[in-house]
Each structure stands twice: as structure tokens, then as C-alpha cells.
């Protein structure tokens, strides 16, 4: 499931702090905090059929992350929204698009860790690419030895760019020959995959790990809410690896790949005999939502 270069993205226009640049000229300073320390926050968004899906939720999470990191001079939501619209319009994009929205602490006056070296405000980057959902029809997982950060180290409630925790897990999955890494929390319960949240279904009941150490994903929340409003039993609780091995269905969720079924974990096949109806129902509900919800593009 390694993504390939899409020639449609050859001449992308990328937004950086109010200006649009051809992708070959779209750069940040070597003094930018994201270069110096991964000191930035981000969101991944999708455009479906002329609408920005869950835009307000993504802007809220970006603002919350920036506030928790004590960024200064953060652009307000309206400014960020306009920057996203401007980028999409410049690229003629209305569907099949993924946006990587990044807000860095900004440029430093000299290299160093201290945020007081940042004296010229944050840097806003909007990278929109032609990118239909990237995952294959199903994926395999292997459990990583790298544990997902807990709130005692780096709180997953901050959606930050310091992704080494997850990248180390992904490296293990690459060597293991699986599509993604499954990460446990410090207590040994399943947390999430390296770039997606995870759900299981057993006997028609849907379960997902608590959001103590996983990212509080927007797709995850959408699925939980959909289940609740459609009377599908859903629970957030600690779940062991054995429970996942013996699930009827397992799927991962995220903006990049939407809902993707998992066919095996650590070589144990997910037998898939039961609860297919529940998974189909969740998938249908989610797809309906992406067709009908979201902030309409103004162009
Ligand atoms: N977990 C991790 C570690 C992620 O990076 C992402 C993508 N941002 C997700 C889960 C999925 O989150 P969302 O549904 O908000 O895209």
C-alpha cells in the first residue's frame, strides 16, 4: 500500500503564509520550528463532491492543539478556512482531494528549542493533493514493540508533527511485511494503528479502544456517533490483542483511507464469518455522510 506519485500533482499550488507557490518553490525556512523540532500541529482533511468534510471539527482540533502548545499569533478559523478555499480554487479541486494543513510555531531568530526564539508568529501551510482514498480493499497489521505515547510522555490529544513514535512503529511493520503497525498502550492494551484508529466487531457489538493514548480521530468519533444514532451497540473500552485476534471483523479509520477492513493481525486471520452486516451498515452510513455533509466550497 505504498503510495505512488500521481502525475496530476505535478504542478500543485501550495499555500504558505498568504502566498501560493508552485510545489517546486514551496519551501519553509531552515529556521522554521517544524525543521528545528517537529514543532508544529496539523490536520488531514478531505474534499468530497465540492464539500470539505468535517471542516469545523478539524479547525477546532488544530486550534486546540496550537493552544495546548502555547503557539502565538495563531490565525483565526475564518482566515484558515479562506486559505484552504484559496488553495483549492487555485488548483481547480472539488473532489478526490486530501489536504494536509500544517501550522508551525514559525521561524526562529536562531536555531534552538526555546519557543521564545520564535518572534514572528506561526506559519500556515495548505498542501492540497489529488488523492482518492489510498488503502487497498483490506490490510494486514503486525504489532509493534514501540508503545503509543501516553499522556505522561506526549499527550495524543495534541495532533502534533512529532510523528517519530508512529514512524518507528511503521518501520517495524515494513520489515515485518505488513501494511501497518498495531500499537499498544503502556499497559499492553491495543491503542491504534500507526496512522489510523481501530475498531472491532464481535457478535454484532462494536468496540474501540478508549482515546487515552490513541489520537482522538475525527473519523473515529464520526463512526461512534453514527453507531449511537443508528442503535448499533458501541463501546469505548480497553481491548486486548487477543480480543482483536478473535474478532468477527476489524477495521481501521482515518481521513486518508476512510474505513478499511483488516484481514489479519500478527498472522492471525480475521475470520470474517459474522457481523458482516454490521460492518456493511457502518460503511453505508459513513459513505452517505461523506456525500451529503460538509462545508460547501464557495467557487
Ligand atoms: N491515528 C493517527 C496516529 C493519525 O495520524 C490519524 C490521522 N491524523 C488518525 C488516527 C486518524 O484521524 P482522523 O480520523 O482525524 O483523520
Amino acid at each position: 500500500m505504498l503510495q505512488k506519485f500521481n502525475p496530476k500533482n505535478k504542478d500543485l499550488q501550495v499555500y504558505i503564509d498568504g502566498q501560493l507557490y508552485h510545489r517546486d518553490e514551496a519551501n519553509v525556512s531552515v529556521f522554521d520550528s517544524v525543521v528545528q523540532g517537529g514543532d508544529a500541529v496539523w490536520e488531514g482533511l478531505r474534499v468530497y463532491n465540492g464539500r470539505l468534510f468535517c471542516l469545523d471539527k478539524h479547525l477546532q482540533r488544530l486550534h486546540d492543539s496550537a493552544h495546548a502548545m502555547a503557539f502565538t499569533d495563531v490565525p483565526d478559523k475564518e482566515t484558515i478556512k479562506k486559505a484552504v478555499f484559496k488553495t483549492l480554487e487555485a488548483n481547480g479541486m472539488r473532489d478526490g482531494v486530501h489536504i494536509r494543513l500544517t501550522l508551525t510555531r514559525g521561524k526562529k531568530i536562531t536555531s534552538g528549542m526555546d519557543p521564545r526564539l520564535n518572534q514572528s508568529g506561526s506559519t500556515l501551510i495548505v498542501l492540497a493533493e489529488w488523492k482518492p482514498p489510498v488503502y487497498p480493499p483490506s490490510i494486514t497489521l503486525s504489532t509493534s514493540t514501540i508503545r503509543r505515547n501516553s499522556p505522561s510522555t506526549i499527550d495524543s490529544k495534541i495532533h502534533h508533527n512529532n510523528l517519530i513514535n508512529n514512524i518507528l512503529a511503521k518501520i517495524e511493520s515494513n520489515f515485518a511485511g505488513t501494511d501497518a503497525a498495531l500499537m499498544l498502550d503502556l499497559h499492553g492494551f491495543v491503542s491504534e494503528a500507526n496512522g489510523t484508529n481501530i475498531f472491532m466487531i464481535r457478535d454484532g457489538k462494536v468496540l474501540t479502544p478508549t482515546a487515552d493514548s490513541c489520537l482522538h480521530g475525527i473519523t473515529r468519533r464520526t463512526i461512534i456517533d453514527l453507531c449511537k444514532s443508528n442503535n448499533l451497540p458501541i463501546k469505548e473500552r480497553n481491548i486486548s490483542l487477543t480480543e482483536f485476534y478473535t474478532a468477527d471483523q476489524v477495521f481501521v479509520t482515518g481521513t486518508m483511507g476512510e474505513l478499511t477492513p483488516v484481514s489479519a493481525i500478527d498472522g492471525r486471520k480475521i475470520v470474517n464469518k459474522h457481523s458482516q452486516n454490521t460492518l456493511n451498515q457502518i460503511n453505508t452510513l459513513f459513505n452517505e455522510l461523506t456525500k451529503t455533509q460538509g462545508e460547501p466550497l464557495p467557487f
Side-chain angles (χ1 to χ4, degrees), residues 85-291:
F85 289 154
K86 182 174 171 168
T87 312
L88 291 172
E89 188 167 16
N91 288 289
M93 291 169 160
R94 292 185 53 84
D95 195 21
V97 175
H98 181 268
I99 302 166
R100 177 97 180 197
L101 184 61
T102 307
L103 184 73
T104 86
R105 195 184 293 278
K107 225 193 293 183
K108 292 179 173 290
I109 53 166
T110 182
S111 66
M113 195 186 287
D114 192 332
R116 289 173 301 180
L117 299 175
N118 289 72
Q119 295 171 13
S120 52
S122 54
T123 303
L124 180 66
I125 304 167
V126 187
L127 171 61
E129 293 181 273
W130 297 106
K131 198 185 288 252
V134 295
Y135 286 5
S138 72
I139 60 167
T140 57
L141 302 178
S142 48
T143 306
S144 169
T145 62
I146 307 288
R147 297 297 172 98
R148 186 71 173 96
N149 285 329
S150 90
S152 62
T153 52
I154 303 179
D155 194 344
S156 64
K157 299 292 183 298
I158 303 175
H159 198 203
H160 54 79
N161 279 58
N162 206 317
L163 297 175
I164 307 299
N165 184 222
N166 306 58
I167 291 170
L168 284 170
K170 179 65 181 129
I171 289 168
E172 287 193 343
S173 139
N174 289 349
F175 280 119
T178 55
D179 294 311
L182 185 60
M183 301 183 77
L184 307 181
D185 67 18
L186 289 184
H187 306 286
F189 293 108
V190 170
S191 175
E192 63 176 333
N194 63 276
T196 47
N197 292 114
I198 191 159
F199 287 75
M200 59 167 275
I201 312 175
R202 174 98 191 211
D203 299 329
K205 295 191 180 80
V206 187
L207 294 175
T208 194
T210 64
D212 293 342
S213 66
C214 68
L215 180 76
H216 52 313
I218 286 170
T219 321
R220 172 185 180 277
R221 178 46 54 194
T222 304
I223 300 296
I224 293 172
D225 292 347
L226 273 178
C227 287
K228 285 185 178 159
S229 53
N230 289 277
N231 294 323
L232 291 168
I234 168 95
K235 203 165 180 186
E236 297 171 66
R237 67 158 169 85
N238 288 332
I239 310 172
S240 74
L241 205 43
T242 308
E243 288 180 280
F244 269 95
Y245 290 158
T246 55
D248 296 336
Q249 308 284 339
V250 177
F251 59 98
V252 294
T253 64
T255 302
M256 186 80 99
E258 304 173 336
L259 268 68
T260 307
V262 173
S263 59
I265 304 174
D266 298 330
R268 276 75 150 186
K269 288 204 165 44
I270 307 302
V271 180
N272 253 313
K273 276 201 209 115
H274 305 290
S275 308
Q276 184 68 51
N277 287 348
T278 312
L279 179 55
N280 292 347
Q281 200 181 338
I282 294 172
N283 236 325
T284 308
L285 289 166
F286 182 77
N287 288 334
E288 268 166 21
L289 217 57
T290 61
K291 283 198 197 96

